[in-house]
Amino acid sequence: MLLNIQIENIRLARPEKTLDVDFCAKEIRLDVFVKNETDRSYDIEMQVIGKKHLSLRARYYQSVLDISSLHAGDDYECLTESYVIFLCLEDIFHKGIPIYTFKSVCIEDSSLFLDDKTTKVFCNAIKYNKMPVEKLRTFFKFLVEKKPDETEFSKTLSEKVLKAKITEDARRTYITLEQEIRLAAKHAAQEAFEEEYKKASENEKLENSRKMKAKNIPDDIISKCTGLSLQQVQEL
């Protein structure tokens, strides 16, 4: 709907896809990475907070998409179309346009486009009422108002969000429980170690005390040297 293109089927879709192109390079984590049947790739970013340097971020994301898709020995013509899409909850360009689409265009002749197969899209959710099609208006209205209206599409979105939240809550509960189990096991192991150490230390003190008593060293001196009480020394 955003790009006004037909997608026959999705070949690959990964949420929170991490791309790391070089040991020294900055890695990126894509909110949603999608490829269709023609290997056209899409990065979809939900931008809730933070609008600084989004244009530079889009540039870097698109370059990483290209590097990760072009393998050693491949020709440049192997590069497929790629789209970086930011779903923004505010108008980052302050022009009142619902969808900002950027392609490389010649400054001297605006009818001449650089066919580098890259597109960057920034969606302005607060202008949902100006979106070109009804489903886009419904979708972005849902993002802004966080509640469904009476349309079937909006209700479907709400159901999917609820299902995702339940899954996320369950995941958090599992992780929390797992952490608690690990923590309890760690504490139990620590306590067991301290108890064994305490026993070993006590036995060592008793043994040293016996050796000192065998040499007729006074009990009060033994007590001070070993840390045992005077009564413990006398009972040996």
Side-chain angles (χ1 to χ4, degrees):
M1 289 186 293
L2 281 171
L3 306 174
N4 194 27
I5 58 177
Q6 184 66 36
I7 299 176
E8 293 298 328
N9 62 74
I10 299 297
R11 187 173 66 81
L12 175 68
R14 291 182 183 172
E16 297 187 348
K17 165 73 173 174
T18 300
L19 293 180
D20 185 7
V21 295
D22 185 79
F23 179 75
C24 296
K26 179 180 177 65
E27 74 171 17
I28 60 174
R29 172 166 288 188
L30 309 179
D31 286 352
V32 178
F33 176 64
V34 178
K35 275 191 176 184
N36 68 356
E37 77 283 353
T38 62
D39 267 352
R40 183 192 283 142
S41 60
Y42 311 85
D43 165 36
I44 306 168
E45 299 292 319
M46 184 68 230
Q47 198 63 28
V48 179
I49 57 174
K51 60 181 180 180
K52 277 190 173 184
H53 313 305
L54 276 192
S55 55
L56 295 178
R57 188 170 152 197
R59 169 186 166 182
Y60 186 69
Y61 278 27
Q62 202 134 42
S63 66
V64 173
L65 285 176
D66 289 341
I67 293 172
S68 62
S69 65
L70 198 66
H71 304 292
D74 287 347
D75 293 329
Y76 291 117
E77 63 186 29
C78 295
L79 284 171
T80 59
E81 288 182 83
S82 66
Y83 295 82
V84 175
I85 303 168
F86 282 91
L87 310 181
C88 304
L89 294 183
E90 56 183 300
D91 188 352
I92 65 170
F93 297 110
H94 309 292
K95 297 291 184 180
I97 301 172
I99 300 175
Y100 299 89
T101 305
F102 293 88
K103 289 181 176 286
S104 301
V105 63
C106 179
I107 294 176
E108 290 76 16
D109 183 354
S110 59
S111 66
L112 179 61
F113 285 87
L114 183 66
D115 187 22
D116 60 358
K117 298 183 179 180
T118 65
T119 305
K120 302 174 184 69
V121 180
F122 298 84
C123 302
N124 175 15
I126 60 175
K127 289 293 181 180
Y128 61 82
N129 59 326
K130 292 186 177 180
M131 293 287 173
V133 296
E134 182 61 35
K135 278 193 173 183
L136 281 179
R137 291 192 284 272
T138 300
F139 175 76
F140 284 102
K141 182 182 180 182
F142 180 79
L143 279 188
V144 172
E145 297 184 355
K146 299 181 177 62
K147 60 182 180 181
D149 55 26
E150 296 303 314
T151 63
E152 196 61 35
F153 183 49
S154 182
K155 291 176 182 177
T156 301
L157 288 172
S158 183
E159 289 171 2
K160 288 183 179 294
V161 169
L162 180 61
K163 185 178 180 181
K165 282 184 176 179
I166 291 172
T167 304
E168 181 65 16
D169 288 344
R171 188 180 72 85
R172 285 201 189 102
T173 300
Y174 170 75
I175 290 174
T176 302
L177 180 60
E178 186 180 37
Q179 288 173 340
E180 288 179 355
I181 291 171
R182 286 181 180 176
L183 193 60
K186 181 180 177 181
H187 287 168
Q190 182 68 25
E191 288 175 4
F193 172 79
E194 289 175 356
E195 187 65 29
E196 287 299 317
Y197 179 81
K198 186 177 178 181
K199 286 180 181 178
S201 178
E202 193 74 16
N203 290 336
E204 186 178 0
K205 289 177 182 180
L206 291 171
E207 184 61 28
N208 288 336
S209 295
R210 289 191 184 95
K211 289 178 181 179
M212 294 171 77
K213 282 183 75 73
K215 295 180 180 180
N216 297 318
I217 296 174
D219 289 350
D220 59 332
I221 301 297
I222 295 174
S223 175
K224 288 178 182 179
C225 290
T226 61
L228 293 175
S229 68
L230 185 58
Q231 182 181 349
Q232 285 178 300
V233 175
Q234 291 170 345
E235 288 176 354
L236 288 175

